[in-house]
């Protein structure tokens, strides 16, 4: 089954304790991205990756890191989490065509993070 | 920059009622427009899309028409069901020179349909 998976689905942590949220897709998509969803703000892009070893900042990158060592995986790293990073996080992937992504993004089920 | 504005929610309807969720956008060039749906506890799924002016996207009884003159992409359904209860997001996609397409989302509208 074609899908995007995220782990963990739920996480409660404390300020300053490094954490990683994993994201994996089995569709061989080149483009992957991370979003955070906050009430009244919709989804905002954190980071994206056009392909292996190619990553760039989205609209709200502060406090986050990513890596893309393999095509299928795109982990989100919070080196020193703070309470304002409490949010619902989504990973998404999409194939490229002609060097551009093809608009339709496939989303993972989400990770609800609480930072105390 | 690009932006998407959706009607404020939440929206509560009775089964078989007519649904409209308004969406307007601001963008340069010719963006593609989307409606995504998020069912409880799940990620977003593409509901429908339109890639050029006057295109109508449709799926599962939902429709939306790309109106360039009014910069709108309103979502409609003639008769909603309880199973349509979800959060609906309007989004636009515009091509960037170096980064390919990027999605800009509206705030989302919570729809609850009562039996």
């Amino acid at each position: 089954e074609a899908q995007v998976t995220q782990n963990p689905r739920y996480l409660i942590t404390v300020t300053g304790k490094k954490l990683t949220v994993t994201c994996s897709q089995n569709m061989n998509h080149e483009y992957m991205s991370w979003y955070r969803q906050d009430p009244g703000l919709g989804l905002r892009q954190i980071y994206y990756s056009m392909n292996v070893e190619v990553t760039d900042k989205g609209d709200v990158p502060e406090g986050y890191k990513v890596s893309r060592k393999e095509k299928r995986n795109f982990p989100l790293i919070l080196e020193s989490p703070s309470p304002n990073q409490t949010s619902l996080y989504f990973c998404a992937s999409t194939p490229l065509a002609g060097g551009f992504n093809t608009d339709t993004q496939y989303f993972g089920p989400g990770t609800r993070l609480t930072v105390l | 920059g690009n932006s998407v504005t959706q009607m404020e929610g939440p929206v509560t309807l009775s089964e078989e009622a007519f649904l409209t969720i308004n969406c307007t956008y601001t963008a340069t060039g010719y963006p593609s427009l989307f409606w995504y749906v998020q069912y409880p506890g799940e990620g977003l799924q593409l509901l429908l899309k339109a890639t050029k002016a006057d295109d109508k996207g449709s799926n599962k009884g939902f429709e939306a028409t790309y109106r360039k003159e009014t910069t709108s992409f309103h979502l409609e359904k003639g008769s909603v069901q309880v199973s349509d209860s979800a959060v609906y997001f309007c989004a636009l996609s515009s091509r960037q020179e170096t980064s390919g397409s990027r999605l800009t989302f509206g705030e989302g509208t919570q729809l609850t349909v009562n039996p």
Side-chain angles (χ1 to χ4, degrees):
Chain A
E1 178 190 356
Q3 60 182 351
V4 178
T5 57
Q6 296 178 227
N7 283 292
R9 295 289 311 278
Y10 303 91
L11 179 61
I12 300 174
T13 189
V14 295
T15 299
K17 185 176 181 181
K18 181 179 178 180
L19 66 92
T20 299
V21 183
T22 64
C23 171
S24 183
Q25 50 94 5
N26 62 1
M27 295 169 280
N28 203 38
H29 288 168
E30 292 85 359
Y31 186 98
M32 298 184 74
S33 60
W34 276 101
Y35 297 88
R36 60 178 290 174
Q37 182 182 2
D38 301 291
L41 296 176
L43 275 76
R44 294 177 293 169
Q45 191 178 53
I46 303 170
Y47 268 94
Y48 64 93
S49 170
M50 295 284 283
N51 215 323
V52 175
E53 302 292 1
V54 181
T55 64
D56 208 346
K57 297 176 181 179
D59 298 317
V60 288
E62 293 78 19
Y64 304 95
K65 287 175 56 177
V66 293
S67 69
R68 188 89 182 273
K69 294 184 171 61
E70 305 165 283
K71 196 172 186 178
R72 62 183 292 127
N73 296 323
F74 190 46
L76 179 69
I77 303 155
L78 284 72
E79 294 270 3
S80 182
S82 61
N84 65 12
Q85 293 178 298
T86 293
S87 187
L88 180 58
Y89 291 87
F90 289 100
C91 180
S93 73
T94 187
L96 291 181
F100 295 92
N101 65 33
T102 54
D103 294 341
T104 302
Q105 300 208 10
Y106 298 81
F107 284 83
T111 295
R112 185 165 293 281
L113 171 66
T114 302
V115 183
L116 302 175
Chain B
N2 297 335
S3 67
V4 176
T5 302
Q6 289 181 234
M7 68 182 288
E8 290 187 18
V11 174
T12 303
L13 296 173
S14 298
E15 208 165 21
E16 299 184 3
F18 185 86
L19 168 71
T20 299
I21 301 178
N22 289 338
C23 172
T24 58
Y25 68 90
T26 302
T28 55
Y30 302 94
S32 296
L33 301 174
F34 305 82
W35 278 99
Y36 279 83
V37 59
Q38 182 181 28
Y39 297 105
E42 298 183 11
L44 279 72
Q45 305 171 24
L46 179 66
L47 180 60
L48 53 85
K49 71 177 185 180
T51 57
K52 60 183 186 297
D54 299 325
D55 267 4
K56 177 185 284 187
S58 61
N59 185 26
K60 300 182 180 180
F62 291 90
E63 293 184 341
T65 302
Y66 189 150
R67 302 284 189 201
K68 190 166 176 62
E69 64 276 13
T70 56
T71 62
S72 65
F73 193 55
H74 305 321
L75 182 68
E76 296 181 337
K77 187 174 184 181
S79 176
V80 293
Q81 306 300 313
V82 173
S83 57
D84 293 328
S85 298
V87 181
Y88 292 82
F89 291 91
C90 185
L92 69 82
S93 175
S94 60
R95 292 284 174 88
Q96 312 295 314
E97 283 189 7
T98 57
S99 61
S101 297
R102 289 185 61 188
L103 280 176
T104 300
F105 286 89
E107 312 86 46
T109 301
Q110 171 75 56
L111 170 66
T112 301
V113 180
N114 295 320

